Amino acid sequence: MPSNETENLRLELVTRAARAEPTTEGLASSQSNVCEKCFGTGVEVVPGKGARPCPCRAASSRDNLLRAARIPDRYSGCFLGNYDCDTRDQKNAFMYAAELINKYPAVDRGLLLTGPVGVGKTHLAVAILRALIAKGFPGVFYEFGSLLKQIQDSYNSISQTSEMRVLTPVYQAKILVLDELGASVPTDWVRDTMYQIINTRYNERRLTIFTTNFPDERERQAPDDQSFSKRVDKRVQPNTAYTLDERIGVPLRSRLYEMCRTVEIKGEDFRKIKA
């Protein structure tokens, strides 16, 4: 059982991280109301002190960063404050997320969130990105399969973009959330592309938050274990039980150990529970 000191620390981390989060109400208000301090000019006049940049400009800048983050509409409501902490794994993941938010930029590793579908990995990754943007740091969200499709589309002769134009924001993003790592079939081209992305960010020491459904090790199953969640039908999909090493390759997995803290989240698929 965690000590009272640990629980108090967790509460403090949660409180600090919650203060950093933007709210949908706050964003809507900042976009619809004229600032009472500068009346939309961006310059606040302080009696006896003269003019200075208005604080509303900082809020406007954060709104612009949020729009540039490419967070899909599906995850527009994902915040740290509404992340479910029903299991011990989810509580631990929440604590690591809050700690990263509160300490950034004085951190040397991101997070690798692993676990089955529907346990809140993407929700937590987006919540971290939102909270860091609220602190004024730029970042972007990419779903790995969609990113690969954008790169492939850039090879089309009628495309108005290029591979480097697609990849440059991924390479240079101060904070990157790369969702569903390893989801695409690992062809040589996919592995090469993963290597370019991960190795570039590894060398530049840029903060990256990954999510993946692939575990580091296969679960050991009892011979009589017939639970649907653990059973793999070999007749239909004989090679689906991949580990992360097998999916992205040992060299890349090795880099991730240094780039990220691995946080495993187990639990039931919330989508199935809600259905």
Side-chain angles (χ1 to χ4, degrees):
M1 292 292 290
S3 65
N4 290 335
E5 183 178 353
T6 301
E7 287 300 321
N8 291 337
L9 173 60
R10 178 180 296 165
L11 180 60
E12 181 182 353
L13 290 171
V14 170
T15 303
R16 281 196 220 152
R19 287 195 195 114
E21 284 186 352
T23 63
T24 53
E25 293 82 359
L27 291 175
S29 175
S30 66
Q31 293 169 357
S32 61
N33 298 330
V34 176
C35 177
E36 296 179 356
K37 292 183 178 181
C38 72
F39 302 100
T41 65
V43 178
E44 177 188 12
V45 178
V46 182
K49 295 184 179 180
R52 67 183 182 186
C54 184
C56 75
R57 284 303 187 210
S60 176
S61 175
R62 288 193 292 269
D63 291 350
N64 290 335
L65 290 177
L66 189 58
R67 282 189 287 270
R70 305 181 74 261
I71 297 173
D73 288 344
R74 169 67 65 181
Y75 307 120
S76 61
C78 293
F79 297 94
L80 205 64
N82 61 7
Y83 176 72
D84 290 334
C85 294
D86 296 331
T87 69
R88 178 179 297 179
D89 284 344
Q90 289 171 326
K91 291 176 182 176
N92 287 338
F94 182 97
M95 187 172 70
Y96 285 129
E99 184 179 23
L100 186 153
I101 292 165
N102 293 325
K103 290 184 176 180
Y104 188 83
V107 298
D108 57 2
R109 288 195 295 173
L111 294 177
L112 170 63
L113 305 174
T114 75
V117 298
V119 294
K121 300 185 300 296
T122 303
H123 182 130
L124 193 58
V126 169
I128 295 169
L129 178 58
R130 283 180 173 277
L132 293 178
I133 288 174
K135 293 177 69 173
F137 298 105
V140 292
F141 174 100
Y142 281 92
E143 192 276 321
F144 187 64
S146 297
L147 175 59
L148 293 180
K149 182 64 166 58
Q150 288 183 46
I151 298 170
Q152 289 174 328
D153 288 346
S154 72
Y155 302 152
N156 191 311
S157 59
I158 62 174
S159 174
Q160 297 298 309
T161 188
S162 65
E163 179 179 359
M164 279 309 300
R165 190 170 179 179
V166 174
L167 283 173
T168 296
V170 181
Y171 291 155
Q172 296 183 351
K174 196 172 188 69
I175 303 157
L176 172 68
V177 170
L178 194 57
D179 194 37
E180 300 285 358
L181 179 66
S184 298
V185 176
T187 63
D188 288 342
W189 178 81
V190 169
R191 288 184 184 274
D192 287 346
T193 303
M194 278 193 295
Y195 185 86
Q196 290 179 48
I197 294 170
I198 294 175
N199 195 57
T200 298
R201 296 190 63 82
Y202 170 83
N203 288 333
E204 296 296 328
R205 296 180 179 272
R206 298 189 184 276
L207 183 75
T208 311
I209 300 161
F210 299 93
T211 76
T212 183
N213 295 332
F214 295 96
D216 276 327
E217 297 180 359
R218 291 187 178 89
E219 286 191 15
R220 294 183 178 181
Q221 300 179 29
D224 60 345
D225 185 355
Q226 297 297 314
S227 65
F228 179 81
S229 61
K230 294 182 179 178
R231 189 176 67 248
V232 176
D233 190 341
K234 299 294 185 181
R235 295 167 299 176
V236 179
Q237 295 177 305
N239 297 309
T240 54
Y242 290 106
T243 63
L244 189 57
D245 274 359
E246 293 166 339
R247 201 67 178 179
I248 69 172
V250 173
L252 282 185
R253 182 63 187 98
S254 177
R255 280 166 171 74
L256 292 185
Y257 282 117
E258 194 170 356
M259 288 177 70
C260 303
R261 180 194 299 273
T262 302
V263 180
E264 185 178 16
I265 309 174
K266 294 182 179 180
E268 297 295 323
D269 184 346
F270 82 93
R271 300 182 188 92
K272 189 180 296 185
I273 296 173
K274 289 173 60 177

